[in-house]
């Protein structure tokens, strides 16, 4: 029987068998070759720290409200297939499927498992991959959307100076996109050396270590005391936000992209934020109404990101690190995603 990676309890994984059903007339079966999890929202749920555990976001009220007593969150430990995206080859197609063929290489959304059955009719999210496209680029489709959302929400323009805080996949891609958007200077900030080096190799101009350097002051020094025009904050750390405010130019913009938890301390809005007229935009690419609606929506962001990845305009080869074999992905997930994120950027899983 085929196997999949499952969260059996908070912060605990297992590789378990699953039943593989026959496909219907409008479905295809894909043999998975590579996959990758999500290091942000999925991790919060894996740790049992998500606000969706005890509350739910009410779309009508546009606020979190308590769940009814006994009502499940939708996350079932023991059955929850961990993972975000995968790349594989179609091995079977239903009789009504005309857009996909056996042998085609595709990328889709779903958990880390040996096979997927997905809809093969009018399915935007079953993306065909050109032969030359790297699987590492394909599994960056999801973080690329939030990186592009931050770039657009912050209105990065030609000649702007930009700082990117947090160099997971979203931050790595945001730093590359800032350059594509015409930024004259891009600084990247992360305490992990490998992440800083990866961003520099992909085109960032300068990197700072927030553990050993006063990042806000360094950004002012690098910009002749003016500060950066735009900051993309992906780390969701209150300490990073404080330094972002310190290094921001007067009336500059911070696109706050990270999914924050309740702050414990270190953020003081009575300092630079109060004096420097900072603009903070909370950026979420998948919001129902884009800030540039109706010209831009989530689908246009998705299409633009796929084109950037498909054409090689974004370099994801070093963003996917490390890569572990499927047989070791349970231990790999616990170590590189949860316990030791300092030893990874975005985990890759290989089935080949």
């Amino acid at each position: 029987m085929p196997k999949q990676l499952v969260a059996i309890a908070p912060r605990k994984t297992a590789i378990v068998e699953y039943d593989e059903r026959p496909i219907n007339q409008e479905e295809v079966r894909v043999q998975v070759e590579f996959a990758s999890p999500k290091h942000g929202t999925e991790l919060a749920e894996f740790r049992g720290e998500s606000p969706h555990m005890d509350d739910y976001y009410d779309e009508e009220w546009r606020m979190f409200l308590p769940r009814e007593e006994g009502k499940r969150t939708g996350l079932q430990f023991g059955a929850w297939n961990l993972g975000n995206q995968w790349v594989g080859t179609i091995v079977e197609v239903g009789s009504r499927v005309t857009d996909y063929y056996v042998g085609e290489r595709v990328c889709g959304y779903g958990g880390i498992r040996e096979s997927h059955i997905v809809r093969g009719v009018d399915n935007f999210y079953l993306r065909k991959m050109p032969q030359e496209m790297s699987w590492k680029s394909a599994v960056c489709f999801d973080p690329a959307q939030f990186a592009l959302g931050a770039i657009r929400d912050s209105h990065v323009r030609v000649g702007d100076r930009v700082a990117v805080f947090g160099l997971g996949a979203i931050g790595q891609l945001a730093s590359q996109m800032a350059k594509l958007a015409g930024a004259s200077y891009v600084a990247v900030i992360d305490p992990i050396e490998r992440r800083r080096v990866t961003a520099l190799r992909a085109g960032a101009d300068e990197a700072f270590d927030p553990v050993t350097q006063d990042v806000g002051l360094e950004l002012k020094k690098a910009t002749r005391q003016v500060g950066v025009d735009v900051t993309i904050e992906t780390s969701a750390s209150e300490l990073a936000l404080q330094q972002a405010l310190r290094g921001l130019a007067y009336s500059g913009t911070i696109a706050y992209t990270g999914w924050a938890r309740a702050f414990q301390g270190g953020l003081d809005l009575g300092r630079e934020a109060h004096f420097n007229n900072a603009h903070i935009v909370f950026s979420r690419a998948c919001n129902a109404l884009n800030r540039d609606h109706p010209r831009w929506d989530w689908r246009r962001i998705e299409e633009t990101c796929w084109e950037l990845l498909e054409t090689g305009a974004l370099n994801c080869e070093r963003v996917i690190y490390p890569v572990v074999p499927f047989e070791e992905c349970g231990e790999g997930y616990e170590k590189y995603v949860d316990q030791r994120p300092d030893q990874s950027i975005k985990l890759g899983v290989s089935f080949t």
Side-chain angles (χ1 to χ4, degrees):
M1 294 180 69
K3 297 180 180 180
Q4 64 181 354
L5 180 66
V6 168
I8 58 174
R11 310 189 81 159
K12 187 63 180 175
T13 67
I15 296 177
V16 301
E17 295 180 340
Y18 64 91
D19 292 324
E20 192 167 48
R21 64 172 175 81
I23 64 171
N24 68 33
Q25 293 177 320
E26 296 187 347
E27 292 178 327
V28 302
R29 191 189 314 276
V30 180
Q31 190 70 35
V32 175
E33 298 164 3
F34 303 98
S36 183
K38 202 175 178 79
H39 284 235
T41 51
E42 182 179 89
L43 176 59
E45 294 166 345
F46 179 64
R47 291 174 171 172
E49 298 173 350
S50 169
H52 296 284
M53 301 298 289
D54 298 321
D55 300 333
Y56 74 100
Y57 186 73
D58 189 290
E59 292 289 348
E60 182 178 350
W61 286 86
R62 305 203 66 80
M63 63 189 304
F64 279 95
L65 296 173
R67 291 184 182 276
E68 295 178 10
E69 186 174 352
K71 195 167 184 178
R72 293 193 299 185
T73 65
L75 298 179
Q76 298 181 48
F77 287 101
W80 175 23
N81 183 199
L82 291 164
N84 180 227
Q85 290 199 272
W86 47 262
V87 166
T89 300
I90 295 175
V91 294
E92 185 180 0
V93 299
S95 60
R96 293 183 181 174
V97 176
T98 58
D99 294 332
Y100 300 93
Y101 304 93
V102 170
E104 280 192 305
R105 193 160 166 259
V106 292
C107 171
Y109 276 91
I112 300 170
R113 59 191 338 215
E114 291 185 286
S115 64
H116 275 283
I117 295 174
V118 295
R119 183 172 176 80
V121 177
D122 297 326
N123 186 353
F124 173 84
Y125 292 104
L126 185 60
R127 308 295 302 184
K128 295 187 179 186
M129 295 174 57
Q131 191 62 37
E132 66 276 9
M133 185 178 186
S134 167
W135 70 269
K136 293 182 179 180
S137 295
V139 298
C140 281
F141 180 45
D142 187 81
Q145 296 165 38
F146 295 93
L148 180 57
I151 293 295
R152 292 196 54 79
D153 287 343
S154 63
H155 297 293
V156 175
R157 291 172 289 184
V158 173
D160 276 350
R161 302 184 184 107
V162 177
V164 179
F165 283 75
L167 296 173
I170 295 175
Q172 295 284 346
L173 297 174
S175 67
Q176 294 186 41
M177 288 179 182
K179 279 293 189 180
L180 291 175
S184 61
Y185 170 80
V186 174
V188 292
I189 299 94
D190 198 286
I192 302 170
E193 182 180 11
R194 174 180 287 276
R195 296 184 177 191
R196 298 195 302 271
V197 170
T198 296
L200 288 170
R201 288 178 174 176
D205 297 290
E206 200 165 9
F208 300 110
D209 179 355
V211 176
T212 62
Q213 295 175 283
D214 182 341
V215 174
L217 181 59
E218 293 300 329
L219 290 173
K220 288 292 181 70
K221 289 179 180 178
T223 56
R224 299 186 297 278
Q225 299 183 323
V226 174
V228 294
D229 302 288
V230 168
T231 290
I232 310 295
E233 209 302 286
T234 77
S235 72
S237 163
E238 61 267 39
L239 300 176
L241 181 55
Q242 189 69 51
Q243 289 299 318
L245 289 164
R246 278 169 53 74
L248 191 68
Y250 187 86
S251 199
T253 299
I254 296 174
Y256 197 89
T257 312
W259 193 28
R261 312 298 180 265
F263 288 162
Q264 301 301 313
L267 180 63
D268 186 349
L269 297 181
R271 297 175 69 89
E272 287 79 10
H274 181 75
F275 284 88
N276 291 343
N277 193 32
H279 299 274
I280 302 179
V281 176
F282 291 89
S283 179
R284 186 170 177 266
C286 57
N287 277 343
L289 290 181
N290 188 275
R291 293 180 188 274
D292 291 320
H293 182 83
R295 293 181 296 106
W296 279 81
D297 56 14
W298 187 15
R299 178 54 53 85
R300 186 172 175 184
I301 287 175
E302 291 171 322
E303 290 172 339
T304 302
C305 286
W306 186 259
E307 182 179 353
L308 291 171
L309 293 163
E310 186 180 43
T311 59
L314 297 172
N315 184 349
C316 301
E317 290 307 297
R318 293 187 177 91
V319 174
I320 304 300
Y321 177 85
V323 178
V324 300
F326 173 66
E327 295 77 13
E328 300 174 14
C329 71
E331 297 89 342
Y333 191 101
E334 292 178 18
K335 178 179 179 179
Y336 297 115
V337 179
D338 181 26
Q339 301 164 4
R340 295 299 306 272
D342 58 300
Q343 296 184 10
S344 70
I345 300 179
K346 181 173 174 63
L347 180 67
V349 177
S350 172
F351 293 77
T352 59

